[in-house]
Amino acid sequence: EAQVTQNPRYLITVTGKKLTVTCSQNMNHEYMSWYRQDPGLGLRQIYYSMNVEVTDKGDVPEGYKVSRKEKRNFPLILESPSPNQTSLYFCASGVWGTDTQYFGPGTRLTVL
Amino acid sequence: DQQVKQNSPSLSVQEGRISILNCDYTNSMFDYFLWYKKYPAEGPTFLISISSIKDKNEDGRFTVFLNKSAKHLSLHIVPSQPGDSAVYFCAASVSNNAGNMLTFGGGTRLMVKP
C-alpha cells in the first residue's frame, strides 16, 4: 500500500530535550516536506527536500532541522524544543514538479 | 500576512443541499490551486485542483470555480453528504517555483447534518 508513515504519532516532551520525528514514504517520490498545523493558520511549511541531500527552508524553519540521506526518509529534528513548537506536524511527499502531495497521518507534539 | 485565506472557519449544511467553501488569495503569481480534505486523526488528502488557465473543474459531486480577477476560488459540493464532514484546506502554488511548494489557507470545518 502506497503510504507516508510518521513516528511517533503522539509525543509529550519537555523544553530542551532533543527529539526526532521520522517520516518515510514508499512511493519513490523525490519531493518531501514537513508542515505544522496550528489553529486558524492552516498548514505552514517548515522544510522541504527536492531529492537526496537537497533540502531548503520553508516558511517557518526556525528551531527545526532536517536531513535527506535516503530518498524514502525525511526526519524532522528539534534540537532544543520549546513550548511554541507544540503543534500538529505532517510529513508529505510528491512527485517532483507536480502539486499533489500525499500526507502522513500526523504527529501531535506537546512541549512542556 | 497570509497569502491564502479561508475567511469562514466553519460551515454547517443540511444533507442533500449544496456546500460552498470559499478561498481568497493575494499573490497574483499563483497559477495552480488545490483543495484538500482532512478528517480527524488523519493527514490531508487531495480532493480536486484547477489550473489558472481554467475557470472551472468538475469531479463528480465536487466542482472548483476560479475567478482570477477577484483572486477567489470556491469549492462546491452537491449534494452534500454526512461523510463530507471534515476540514477543507485550499492551497495554491506557483509553477516553476521549487516544483511543489504549496501555500495553504487556514481551513474551513464543514459539518453536514443528516
Side-chain angles (χ1 to χ4, degrees):
Chain A
E1 179 190 355
Q3 60 183 351
V4 179
T5 57
Q6 295 177 227
N7 282 292
R9 294 290 312 277
Y10 303 90
L11 179 61
I12 300 174
T13 188
V14 296
T15 299
K17 186 176 181 182
K18 181 179 178 180
L19 65 92
T20 298
V21 184
T22 64
C23 173
S24 183
Q25 51 94 5
N26 62 2
M27 295 170 278
N28 202 36
H29 287 160
E30 301 90 353
Y31 184 89
M32 297 187 75
S33 182
W34 275 102
Y35 296 87
R36 59 179 288 174
Q37 182 192 351
D38 300 291
L41 297 176
L43 290 93
R44 294 180 293 166
Q45 190 173 51
I46 303 170
Y47 268 95
Y48 64 94
S49 169
M50 293 178 278
N51 214 322
V52 174
E53 302 292 3
V54 181
T55 63
D56 207 349
K57 296 177 181 179
D59 297 320
V60 288
E62 293 78 20
Y64 304 94
K65 286 175 57 176
V66 293
S67 69
R68 187 90 182 272
K69 293 184 169 54
E70 306 165 284
K71 198 171 186 180
R72 63 182 291 127
N73 296 322
F74 190 44
L76 179 70
I77 302 154
L78 285 74
E79 295 269 3
S80 183
S82 62
N84 65 11
Q85 292 178 299
T86 293
S87 188
L88 179 59
Y89 291 87
F90 290 101
C91 179
S93 73
V95 175
W96 171 250
T98 66
D99 294 278
T100 304
Q101 295 187 21
Y102 299 85
F103 284 81
T107 295
R108 185 166 291 283
L109 171 66
T110 301
V111 183
L112 301 174
Chain B
D1 188 33
Q2 285 187 281
Q3 296 186 67
V4 179
K5 286 187 178 178
Q6 295 174 253
N7 291 316
S8 297
S10 65
L11 174 67
S12 183
V13 172
Q14 202 68 38
E15 181 179 6
R17 306 294 280 268
I18 184 171
S19 295
I20 300 176
L21 295 91
N22 294 304
C23 179
D24 297 294
Y25 62 95
T26 57
N27 188 345
S28 57
M29 297 296 291
F30 288 142
D31 57 5
Y32 197 79
F33 304 88
L34 307 90
W35 285 92
Y36 280 81
K37 177 179 180 180
K38 184 184 176 305
Y39 291 118
E42 295 182 12
T45 55
F46 170 74
L47 187 59
I48 192 170
S49 63
I50 188 168
S51 164
S52 61
I53 62 173
K54 295 185 175 182
D55 54 18
K56 176 183 174 181
N57 188 27
E58 192 171 351
D59 183 3
R61 296 185 298 114
F62 303 91
T63 302
V64 57
F65 294 93
L66 175 63
N67 183 334
K68 288 191 292 292
S69 61
K71 295 192 178 69
H72 177 83
L73 65 153
S74 61
L75 174 68
H76 292 210
I77 306 173
V78 184
S80 302
Q81 299 174 353
D84 296 329
S85 297
V87 177
Y88 290 79
F89 292 99
C90 68
S93 71
V94 179
S95 299
N96 305 319
N97 182 10
N100 300 72
M101 289 193 67
L102 295 177
T103 302
F104 284 84
T108 296
R109 182 178 301 278
L110 173 65
M111 293 163 285
V112 180
K113 296 179 288 187

